Amino acid sequence: MRAITIVGNWKMNTTPTEAEQLASDIRLNVADSADAMVVVCPPSIGLETVSRVLSGSEVAVGVQNIHSDPQGAYTGEISAEMAREFASYAIVGHSERRDLFDESDEFISQKVAAAERAGLRPILCVGEPSEVRSAGAGHAESYVTTQLLNGLPDVTDISSVLVAYEPVWAIGTGQAATPEVAQHIASALRGALRGRFGAAADQVPCLYGGSVNSGNIAEFVQQADIDGALVGGASLDAGSFADIVTAAAQVKS
Ligand code: PEP
């Protein structure tokens, strides 16, 4: 059985001091549970502090973005090799990076490979914008499966990868997808993974992201192909985040 995984993406929120406090509150609030993996992704400048605060706890640390190269003349960027001193996961291909920073599928695939090279587990995000969803479920399905497969050409070990289905229209809007829509896409994503990687696809965690909160998480993780969530806004409050983890873990316990 696939474990539940709940990932908090703090985005460009929290100064290092605030990140230290939030990590410490999460450490206190999130109950250790054999039924859920928990990961928090602070801004890069807070990685060292957060990893120190969470060291020895069950909460793992992820980085929100990496460059594809190990080092070089890329002002302002950080590499997977740098992040791995503090993190064990890397979010790759978040829709905000795709849209606001023009990241292509090809660049994203290089980042996935970079994460694998450095021993970080990539969390590859895919999701359709509202105009694709409005064109019909078939369009959304083919849009996200293409994003998924385009992100994985160089992956040799699919067991290190997590996939996050995050419809763009659901992120930060308060309008989560229905569990049925999320399951439909998660099942299509798993089917696409099976086509490329065979039975190993059945071990890949598929998360849902987009306006997840403690009230709706249970119905997502009850779906056959959804194994947790990528949480934005609600991960910035330790109590809300802990409630999401508890509610998710209860479903599978
Ligand atoms: C996200 O940014 O990945 C996200 C899902 O945000 P929110 O939970 O705020 O919708």
Side-chain angles (χ1 to χ4, degrees):
M1 199 176 78
R2 296 181 299 269
I4 292 285
T5 304
I6 303 293
V7 182
N9 174 13
W10 298 357
K11 308 195 188 188
M12 197 176 74
N13 295 293
T14 68
T15 63
T17 306
E18 290 164 346
E20 180 172 24
Q21 185 62 54
L22 180 54
S24 150
D25 291 346
I26 285 174
R27 184 173 184 149
L28 283 176
N29 279 265
V30 172
D32 287 351
S33 162
D35 297 308
M37 290 285 309
V38 182
V39 184
V40 295
C41 303
S44 304
I45 198 169
L47 279 174
E48 180 172 6
T49 305
V50 168
S51 76
R52 178 177 39 76
V53 171
L54 294 175
S55 146
S57 79
E58 295 287 318
V59 181
V61 178
V63 60
Q64 296 176 17
N65 180 41
I66 49 172
H67 195 274
S68 54
D69 278 3
Q71 75 277 313
Y74 302 107
T75 302
E77 293 290 301
I78 66 163
S79 69
E81 281 75 4
M82 295 168 184
R84 78 170 162 209
E85 293 198 6
F86 308 113
S88 42
Y89 292 76
I91 298 175
V92 177
H94 192 282
S95 64
E96 287 153 13
R97 302 269 347 152
R98 292 177 187 266
D99 294 348
L100 303 174
F101 301 96
D102 284 334
E103 291 194 2
S104 65
D105 279 356
E106 191 190 352
F107 191 31
I108 288 163
S109 74
Q110 291 164 357
K111 292 180 181 217
V112 171
E116 197 181 29
R117 179 187 70 219
L120 296 175
R121 292 192 70 183
I123 303 168
L124 174 58
C125 302
V126 299
E128 80 285 2
S130 58
E131 58 275 18
V132 173
R133 172 56 55 183
S134 310
H139 289 265
E141 192 178 312
S142 101
Y143 188 94
V144 298
T145 51
T146 300
Q147 281 184 322
L148 176 71
L149 295 178
N150 285 350
L152 299 171
D154 302 320
V155 165
T156 50
D157 179 15
I158 193 64
S159 72
S160 74
V161 175
L162 295 85
V163 173
Y165 168 52
E166 297 209 302
V168 178
W169 43 269
I171 296 179
T173 60
Q175 292 189 309
T178 63
E180 293 74 24
V181 162
Q183 165 57 26
H184 177 85
I185 294 288
S187 158
L189 292 171
R190 197 173 301 288
L193 287 176
R194 266 193 213 111
R196 173 75 64 86
F197 299 98
D202 291 337
Q203 302 312 317
V204 175
C206 185
L207 315 182
Y208 165 76
S211 299
V212 167
N213 57 45
S214 56
N216 62 19
I217 181 65
E219 50 189 1
F220 286 110
V221 293
Q222 276 157 4
Q223 306 300 314
D225 287 292
I226 299 180
D227 309 304
L230 180 50
V231 184
S235 71
L236 290 169
D237 178 85
S240 305
F241 188 61
D243 288 347
I244 290 172
V245 173
T246 305
Q250 271 167 4
V251 171
K252 297 270 159 128
S253 63

